[in-house]
Amino acid sequence: MTKNIDFGDDLKRSGLKNTKPRTAILDILEQSDQPIGAEQIFLELRQKDISVNLSTVYRTVEVLADKNIVTKLSIAGDNRALFEYNRMVHRHYLVCIECKKILPVYRCPLETYEKLLEEETHFAIVGHKLDIYGYCPECQERIQQGGKT
């Protein structure tokens, strides 16, 4: 993605100051094709010669997640949180349990089921989360060839 987004409006609407580290973090997240961790964001900031502490990156992504500017993703079996720019698009993920590759699923398989649950239970459903775990094609091939899992 090579769009140049002005994150100042997002930050202002959320009551946050428009600082260079925040906009740089948002730019990295917006350009990433999958959720990434705070450590990777930190390394990319260093490559761009933006001086910021790792602890600042952690605090910033947590604040941005609290303000719903970024989405926080927790993967089972992985103790780190991953983040992505909130494009206001509902999606789920396929997660490789071997190499940790994450692929987005853009079609929601739960829409019809969610409506049925609302009708049956009269529960006002406002959202859901679904991550699907398995092995990506590359890891399947490596495993079939006698590779380690």
Side-chain angles (χ1 to χ4, degrees):
M1 300 190 175
T2 56
K3 293 186 247 175
N4 242 350
I5 295 179
D6 178 12
F7 301 110
D9 289 340
D10 289 340
L11 294 168
K12 187 176 182 179
R13 271 193 302 276
S14 298
L16 298 173
K17 288 183 181 178
N18 186 355
T19 65
K20 185 176 181 177
R22 283 182 183 150
T23 56
I25 289 169
L26 286 170
D27 185 54
I28 289 168
L29 290 171
E30 194 278 326
Q31 290 187 34
S32 179
D33 60 352
Q34 68 177 21
I36 58 175
E39 299 86 1
Q40 184 172 348
I41 295 168
F42 173 73
L43 293 173
E44 289 189 34
L45 288 169
R46 287 183 61 188
Q47 287 177 348
K48 294 181 178 195
D49 290 326
I50 298 171
S51 180
V52 65
N53 295 327
L54 180 57
S55 60
T56 301
V57 174
Y58 275 107
R59 278 193 309 274
T60 301
V61 291
E62 289 294 340
V63 167
L64 294 171
D66 287 344
K67 299 291 186 175
N68 205 28
I69 298 172
V70 302
T71 303
K72 184 177 180 178
L73 177 66
S74 298
I75 302 297
D78 193 347
N79 61 354
R80 63 192 173 117
L82 303 174
F83 301 88
E84 68 180 334
Y85 180 68
N86 187 352
R87 293 176 179 85
M88 305 308 271
V89 175
H90 179 74
R91 61 181 164 184
H92 303 288
Y93 296 95
L94 296 172
V95 180
C96 180
I97 55 179
E98 178 69 19
C99 70
K100 307 298 186 220
K101 182 186 303 178
I102 300 170
L103 299 173
V105 175
Y106 296 100
R107 188 178 64 77
C108 180
L110 298 179
E111 284 180 23
T112 304
Y113 183 61
E114 199 173 81
K115 289 175 185 169
L116 286 171
L117 278 175
E118 280 186 324
E119 289 173 13
E120 289 175 10
T121 64
H122 303 288
F123 197 88
I125 298 173
V126 296
H128 62 264
K129 183 177 177 89
L130 173 69
D131 300 320
I132 302 168
Y133 299 89
Y135 295 95
C136 70
E138 293 83 7
C139 289
Q140 289 178 59
E141 186 175 322
R142 190 170 40 256
I143 291 166
Q144 288 176 351
Q145 295 175 356
K148 190 176 176 184
T149 59

